Amino acid sequence: MNESDQIRDLLRDGVPPVPSSRSWVQRAQRVQRASTRRRAAGVVVTVAALAAVGVSFVLRSAPSQVATPAPTASATSSVLATSGLVVAESQLIGKPGEAATFCTGIVLQLLPPSCPGVEVRGDFSWESVQYKEASGVRYTDLPYRLVGLLDLSEGERGVFTVTEPVEEASTSAGEPPRNQGALCSDPLRDAEPAKAEDSDQNRLWDGIDSLPVVSVWVSDGRSEFNVVVRGDHESAFKELRKVWGGGLCVVSSDKSTKAERVDALERVRALLPKGQFILANPDSGEDPEDPILEVHVVKLDPWQIDELVAAAGPGVKLRVTEMFTEYVR
Amino acid sequence: MTDPGFEAFVSARGDDLWRSAWLLTGDSEKAEDLVQTALTKTFKKYRGSDREFEGYVRTTMYRTYCSWWRRKWRGEVPTEVLPDVAEDRGQSEVSIDLARALAALPTNQRAVLVLRYYEDRSTAEAAELLGLAEGTVKAYSSRALETLRKSRHLREEKS
């Protein structure tokens, strides 16, 4: 038995028996109804919130005349202290009798777990959350929603003074699915079914990697490749057709290439103060033909975000999302 | 009024969805939450075609799993020291060992592994479903296998 088959058997044999009592149908219907009502109410709140504080993310291309600053780690310092209330959702970890940590980074899933984060002060007690305890450390499995004042200049990584009652975080709606349809009406133009095997796909990927690619996706779930390239798409199509006989659409675009977005991410990361970076995705956004570099940070001043946008460089769309956002009652 | 077709779909396919969800989460309750969330998000889109709808539910389930774990800042750092996992009553030792071994995988690698080796999806299908580049799926799959290969929890199970 080869290794793949062993893994398949392990996965099949290892799943425990399915629980017998379920009411998924009714719950799905009930939650949907409640969610629809909440969304209807939320539209009003969101419009008011955006008007009051501005959106919590930035989406813009750096203007072409802006010079890219040299990436220096000390270019910015994190001295941010919010004057208004901010809100964030994350897990809490800490020892009884000591200040809890509100995680602002990856939670290491050891027992007990640990994470980098801001020190929690103010109106917080472990009695207000469902926690577990291991080796003298308390931690929440679920994320909690905390509201308060953030001062990143205080303590090792900052202090978050909680001012409102702690709540369990709401269920995320997730990101909207991308529209990843076929880019052309004739993906089988010049196709050769004999050259559409897995080994041919590997050669196709090698070919794609050699091109200035903006983005790539598969539109039929199997073998219909859609490639957006900078420059001459016909030449790119001919090159890829030499090795790939399956579905293929190639179009040209003047949007940023994946390589440019990855380079931009390096520059942006170099500018971020220590402890600010959480996650990044160079292929984000709803439109696969115009991908966005998304960088998720703890909390920045507007001028710091401006620096990041400039550092990303011309043509690269940067979306900076923050863990702590302005709180609107 | 619940669509009887939707009810029949859940009755017929719910167990299979739960099994995939368990492999993703390693925990019975979380698996149920994940299936429930996917069904809640997709419930209104049921149009009578079980096959098409199941694809939609599964896509939603996997993407919800990835976004859940991302939102909770969990699981992006694999570690040599494996975490303890919730041990459901009635779980076999194989299940517990498997859950512990899977817990060492970062979210995306775990999703790729389940899609490729439990659901027998092709690399391209997994890429499409997760919204990742195919090369990335291949890399995740390879890294996930490498991690499981080294897992002390699975050494005895595989031999």
Side-chain angles (χ1 to χ4, degrees):
Chain A
M1 186 185 284
N2 65 31
E3 187 185 55
S4 297
D5 289 337
Q6 280 185 325
I7 295 292
R8 282 190 181 91
D9 283 353
L10 262 173
L11 296 182
R12 269 196 297 272
D13 297 343
V15 180
V18 182
S20 55
S21 63
R22 297 194 303 260
S23 52
W24 294 341
V25 173
Q26 287 73 21
R27 281 176 63 196
Q29 191 180 35
R30 204 166 54 237
V31 175
Q32 258 285 357
R33 280 186 189 143
S35 162
T36 305
R37 283 197 296 273
R38 273 201 306 276
R39 267 202 299 274
V43 169
V44 178
V45 174
T46 305
V47 169
L50 293 179
V53 301
V55 288
S56 62
F57 62 83
V58 176
L59 173 56
R60 45 192 156 159
S61 285
S64 56
Q65 69 271 24
V66 174
T68 302
T72 54
S74 58
T76 50
S77 60
S78 183
V79 292
L80 184 138
T82 56
S83 55
L85 295 178
V86 291
V87 59
E89 294 178 357
S90 192
Q91 288 166 263
L92 291 140
I93 296 175
K95 291 182 177 170
E98 295 179 11
T101 296
F102 191 43
C103 299
T104 58
I106 303 301
V107 179
L108 277 172
Q109 294 184 69
L110 304 171
L111 202 65
S114 62
C115 69
V118 292
E119 183 182 318
V120 178
R121 292 183 190 165
D123 190 14
F124 171 78
S125 88
W126 283 103
E127 311 317 314
S128 58
V129 298
Q130 284 190 328
Y131 65 86
K132 294 181 176 175
E133 192 162 334
S135 306
V137 175
R138 290 178 178 175
Y139 61 97
T140 65
D141 259 348
L142 296 171
Y144 281 84
R145 180 174 181 271
L146 268 57
V147 176
L149 291 162
L150 180 68
D151 185 352
L152 292 175
S153 66
E154 201 176 337
E156 194 181 339
R157 279 180 173 263
V159 169
F160 190 40
T161 306
V162 177
T163 59
E164 306 284 322
V166 176
E167 292 176 17
E168 200 173 297
S170 56
T171 305
S172 167
E175 291 174 11
R178 277 181 152 193
N179 174 24
Q180 298 195 130
L183 276 172
C184 59
S185 57
D186 54 348
L188 294 178
R189 176 164 66 106
D190 303 334
E192 290 179 67
K195 282 205 302 189
E197 303 297 324
D198 278 356
S199 54
D200 301 310
Q201 272 195 20
N202 289 335
R203 281 190 283 279
L204 171 66
W205 280 108
D206 290 343
I208 288 170
D209 287 344
S210 69
L211 294 170
V213 167
V214 173
S215 62
V216 183
W217 68 94
V218 180
S219 53
D220 67 347
R222 291 186 313 280
S223 59
E224 197 172 87
F225 283 78
N226 296 273
V227 185
V228 183
V229 294
R230 175 85 64 73
D232 180 3
H233 65 279
E234 265 310 317
S235 300
F237 179 86
K238 282 175 188 163
E239 282 303 307
L240 297 177
R241 257 294 170 247
K242 287 178 189 169
V243 296
W244 177 241
L248 181 63
C249 298
V250 183
V251 301
S252 59
S253 164
D254 60 354
K255 307 299 183 189
S256 62
T257 63
K258 173 80 173 277
E260 287 170 342
R261 294 191 298 277
V262 170
D263 286 347
L265 174 58
E266 290 300 311
R267 294 193 294 274
V268 166
R269 282 202 66 166
L271 268 183
L272 280 171
K274 191 180 173 192
Q276 278 283 354
F277 178 79
I278 299 176
L279 288 167
N281 179 2
D283 278 317
S284 191
E286 292 75 32
D287 182 0
E289 291 185 60
D290 188 10
I292 291 165
L293 167 60
E294 181 171 3
V295 179
H296 193 55
V297 299
V298 177
K299 178 74 180 160
L300 293 172
D301 273 331
W303 65 267
Q304 289 175 305
I305 293 175
D306 287 342
E307 279 199 354
L308 299 184
V309 171
V316 173
K317 284 185 178 173
L318 173 68
R319 175 156 63 191
V320 180
T321 53
E322 297 172 297
M323 175 181 163
F324 288 88
T325 57
E326 308 298 329
Y327 173 67
V328 180
R329 283 175 201 277
Chain B
M1 185 77 182
T2 308
D3 185 330
F6 178 70
E7 278 191 49
F9 168 81
V10 174
S11 171
R13 306 301 304 147
D15 287 4
D16 253 17
L17 291 169
W18 184 90
R19 288 188 189 99
S20 294
W22 185 89
L23 286 168
L24 293 173
T25 61
D27 178 272
S28 292
E29 283 183 18
K30 286 190 179 111
E32 201 157 339
D33 280 353
L34 184 56
V35 174
Q36 182 69 68
T37 302
L39 289 172
T40 301
K41 285 180 176 176
T42 54
F43 153 69
K44 282 197 164 178
K45 301 250 172 31
Y46 186 77
R47 298 284 181 270
S49 165
D50 279 10
R51 193 171 170 189
E52 191 183 323
F53 184 65
E54 182 169 349
Y56 192 58
V57 174
R58 283 189 186 273
T59 300
T60 304
M61 192 170 85
Y62 278 87
R63 291 190 177 186
T64 300
Y65 162 73
C66 291
S67 66
W68 262 8
W69 261 244
R70 174 183 148 165
R71 187 170 66 83
K72 293 176 190 176
W73 319 126
R74 294 173 66 110
E76 293 299 330
V77 180
T79 169
E80 285 299 306
V81 186
L82 296 175
D84 280 2
V85 295
E87 294 181 13
D88 297 350
R89 250 178 265 169
Q91 249 182 235
S92 68
E93 281 186 24
V94 178
S95 301
I96 293 166
D97 286 343
L98 179 62
R100 285 182 171 155
L102 291 174
L105 300 178
T107 306
N108 283 335
Q109 287 184 32
R110 190 164 174 165
V112 165
L113 185 91
V114 178
L115 281 168
R116 293 280 288 117
Y117 294 97
Y118 181 70
E119 296 199 7
D120 275 333
R121 306 286 192 115
S122 68
T123 307
E125 284 174 315
E128 160 120 26
L129 198 145
L130 296 173
L132 298 171
E134 195 170 350
T136 308
V137 168
K138 285 178 180 172
Y140 282 167
S141 179
S142 162
R143 280 177 210 161
L145 288 180
E146 180 67 23
T147 304
L148 291 189
R149 206 173 287 137
K150 290 177 183 167
S151 171
R152 64 189 167 89
H153 295 288
L154 293 185
R155 263 178 224 148
E156 288 175 15
E157 301 299 343
K158 283 192 283 191
S159 60

